[in-house]
Amino acid sequence: MSTGSQPENTTPSAGPSVGPSSPDPEPSDAVPAESPSAPVRSRIQLTGSPGLAAEPRPSWSEILFGDFRRLQSVVGRWYLVLTLLVRLPSVVMPLSVMVYVAVASGSGSWGALCAAAIYLGHAVSTGITGLYAPWKYYQWGILVQTVLQVLTVLWLVQTLVARAHDPFGPWPWYLCLLVGAASPQLGIATRLRWPSILRHHRDQSLPALTMRHDAVMDALAMVLGALVAGVIAIMAGSLVGVMAGSGLLVISTAMLLLHPTAGLPVWGTALWVSSSKNLNRAERRRRRSRRIVRFLPVLGGGWLGLLWGSVQIGLVYFAASIDVVESIGAQFAALGLLSAISAVITAGFGIRRPWNLWILCAAASVLATMLMSVPSGPFSMLLVLAVIGAATGPTLVAVFGIVPIISPRRLTTGLSAITYVLIQVGMAAGLVLAAWLGNYGGYQTVALLPVMASTLLLATAFLFIDRRRRVALDMPASAHWAPGGDFSTSVGM
């Protein structure tokens, strides 16, 4: 932590306001975006001075697990493991439903529509979680949603079994939407709990680090959830995977509500800040430009979700062509595995300028998705999925890592929650669009959608770089978190 840091205001938030966010303050201590502050310049001069011993290079253990160890000293190991466990049901459920419906109906389109409905329901559920998160008794909201989710899953399973006897009729996508909306998004719940944890431990130096940790957990959940869904589908059937996803959610909810951090006072969960009404035209234009810049990484998360959703449907059509539909989850785990490994390594290095990483990995994603039209067998497809995962994992870390760098502290929670919502919406859109394309042109046409999604991801990265150089964010030193995770008096970007 920088010695010039100032403690953050610890007044508890009264909950989300209804007005738009206020313009960023512009006090005299604002630092230009491209010029390092005095403490940063002094550190640069000292480390570059001849005659001084260079700092020892961190070991691979420190790079891979440094963030985990710092957070473990604050909250403990088991809570960090819990942040991974609570994310698994959101991956297991839609994959299991997609595989079951695709096999039982003989149509990948119905499987895609039902899975897309669950993802869209997850986005709705995230908004619901954000509404009751500032409430003092928010645990009751999570508990009520969990009970509703169990009831709707039982209804869905009964309907799927009945529909399997007449597979040519319409499949219950509306029940899938209801299941997704009733499922509490515990990943968002853990994200919203971090401000209260850091305030309780009087350590306000780790917001950027917690966001990197959550991004890594999202990537790890993708591989573990896909692997669980794939193994259950092969050994017991995808319908068992649907019920297993519901049971895992119940266990995760119980562990999250019984964890000691559940009793901390709710703090820092306001998702919107009321605006000052006395703004002239220039101030309104400047505020609008800042909002656009801060929304671009959020939009990048949406394109990333579109890419993942379209890859899933591409895998369905490819697996159907070689008659191995039940192994979709296990094959998709190859993408998640490399995504998780690359995300862990990227987060460990603590990239100071994640927008450069965004451009690099988005360009790699374009090249990787172009390879989807090449495979002719399951092994070659596994290699392609691994390459795509290696490119998209760091992109996820970069998108979430940009938010605390370009935004005041009061907006980072809301922006990260909106990013997660757009990822879910993007996955739903990718599933539906890819299924629609597959009905007309088959697998080769579906393979074009991931290329388009990665191209949009790259174009948004270039647009962010251009807009960030043109728009002065004018954040005061006291409202910014340094890229390395420490609270700093610098806003050097």
Side-chain angles (χ1 to χ4, degrees):
M1 182 183 300
S2 175
T3 57
S5 62
Q6 299 295 330
E8 183 180 356
N9 182 16
T10 58
T11 303
S13 172
S17 303
V18 295
S21 64
S22 59
D24 295 330
E26 300 180 13
S28 58
D29 63 341
V31 182
E34 300 295 339
S35 62
S37 61
V40 174
R41 287 195 297 267
S42 64
R43 289 197 297 269
I44 294 174
Q45 293 171 359
L46 285 176
T47 56
S49 300
L52 294 179
E55 294 183 0
R57 293 182 178 180
S59 64
W60 276 104
S61 176
E62 293 173 344
I63 291 175
L64 295 179
F65 306 108
D67 287 358
F68 186 89
R69 290 168 181 169
R70 289 189 65 187
L71 291 177
Q72 179 182 339
S73 65
V74 174
V75 75
R77 177 185 303 174
W78 292 114
Y79 183 78
L80 300 182
V81 175
L82 184 59
T83 60
L84 171 62
L85 179 64
V86 299
R87 287 170 161 83
L88 296 182
S90 297
V91 181
V92 174
M93 182 68 70
L95 272 178
S96 299
V97 169
M98 181 177 66
V99 173
Y100 178 82
V101 174
V103 173
S105 66
S107 171
S109 301
W110 278 116
L113 182 60
C114 291
I118 293 181
Y119 282 122
L120 188 58
H122 286 170
V124 174
S125 178
T126 302
I128 295 173
T129 304
L131 288 178
Y132 65 68
W135 185 34
K136 181 179 180 180
Y137 303 103
Y138 70 95
Q139 297 95 332
W140 287 102
I142 296 177
L143 185 60
V144 169
Q145 272 195 288
T146 302
V147 173
L148 291 177
Q149 191 264 359
V150 172
L151 296 177
T152 53
V153 167
L154 292 176
W155 187 9
L156 175 64
V157 169
Q158 181 182 7
T159 307
L160 290 178
V161 172
R163 178 53 58 192
H165 297 291
D166 182 20
F168 302 105
W171 285 78
W173 61 268
Y174 50 89
L175 286 182
C176 295
L177 179 63
L178 187 60
V179 167
S183 302
Q185 295 305 292
L186 302 183
I188 283 295
T190 57
R191 269 191 171 97
L192 297 179
R193 189 178 288 187
W194 278 118
S196 298
I197 293 174
L198 298 183
R199 180 174 182 262
H200 174 73
H201 290 276
R202 301 183 183 278
D203 190 346
Q204 298 298 324
S205 66
L206 304 176
L209 191 148
T210 59
M211 296 188 73
R212 290 203 304 266
H213 169 79
D214 284 330
V216 171
M217 292 302 104
D218 288 335
L220 286 174
M222 185 188 303
V223 55
L224 292 180
L227 189 59
V228 169
V231 170
I232 293 177
I234 294 174
M235 298 183 63
S238 298
L239 196 62
V240 177
V242 175
M243 295 182 287
S246 179
L248 186 59
L249 180 64
V250 173
I251 296 174
S252 301
T253 300
M255 295 179 66
L256 187 65
L257 296 183
L258 294 176
H259 194 272
T261 58
L264 295 178
V266 179
W267 183 82
T269 57
L271 303 181
W272 205 253
V273 183
S274 58
S275 172
S276 174
K277 297 181 180 180
N278 299 324
L279 298 176
N280 57 38
R281 181 179 301 178
E283 289 172 337
R284 288 196 299 269
R285 187 185 305 114
R286 184 163 57 248
R287 184 180 63 176
R288 191 183 307 114
S289 299
R290 293 171 185 165
R291 285 180 174 176
I292 292 174
V293 173
R294 290 167 185 154
F295 179 73
L296 288 176
V298 178
L299 182 61
W303 299 135
L304 201 55
L306 181 66
L307 191 157
W308 284 333
S310 57
V311 167
Q312 285 187 32
I313 293 303
L315 189 56
V316 169
Y317 278 91
F318 180 80
S321 65
I322 57 177
D323 198 22
V324 288
V325 178
E326 290 81 1
S327 65
I328 289 175
Q331 292 187 52
F332 191 69
L335 185 151
L337 177 61
L338 268 295
S339 177
I341 293 174
S342 58
V344 170
I345 295 176
T346 302
F349 276 103
I351 306 298
R352 292 187 59 85
R353 291 175 174 82
W355 41 85
N356 294 335
L357 179 68
W358 182 8
I359 289 181
L360 179 63
C361 293
S365 299
V366 174
L367 298 177
T369 51
M370 288 181 179
L371 298 175
M372 286 198 65
S373 59
V374 175
S376 57
F379 181 73
S380 55
M381 175 56 78
L382 286 176
L383 294 179
V384 171
L385 293 175
V387 174
I388 295 175
T392 55
T395 308
L396 182 67
V397 175
V399 167
F400 277 104
I402 289 173
V403 172
I405 297 178
I406 66 172
S407 306
R409 292 191 304 273
R410 68 180 185 273
L411 299 179
T412 55
T413 300
L415 287 175
S416 62
I418 296 172
T419 303
Y420 184 80
V421 169
L422 281 189
I423 290 177
Q424 301 296 319
V425 173
M427 293 189 74
L431 290 169
V432 173
L433 290 176
W436 179 74
L437 290 174
N439 286 336
Y440 288 95
Y443 171 73
Q444 294 298 330
T445 305
V446 173
L448 296 177
L449 188 57
V451 179
M452 185 190 72
S454 57
T455 302
L456 291 173
L457 182 63
L458 178 61
T460 305
F462 279 114
L463 180 60
F464 171 79
I465 292 290
D466 179 71
R467 296 295 299 177
R468 178 185 160 273
R469 290 174 177 173
R470 294 173 181 268
V471 177
L473 296 177
D474 294 334
M475 284 191 297
S478 60
H480 194 273
W481 295 104
D486 295 331
F487 185 69
S488 175
T489 57
S490 168
V491 294
M493 295 187 292

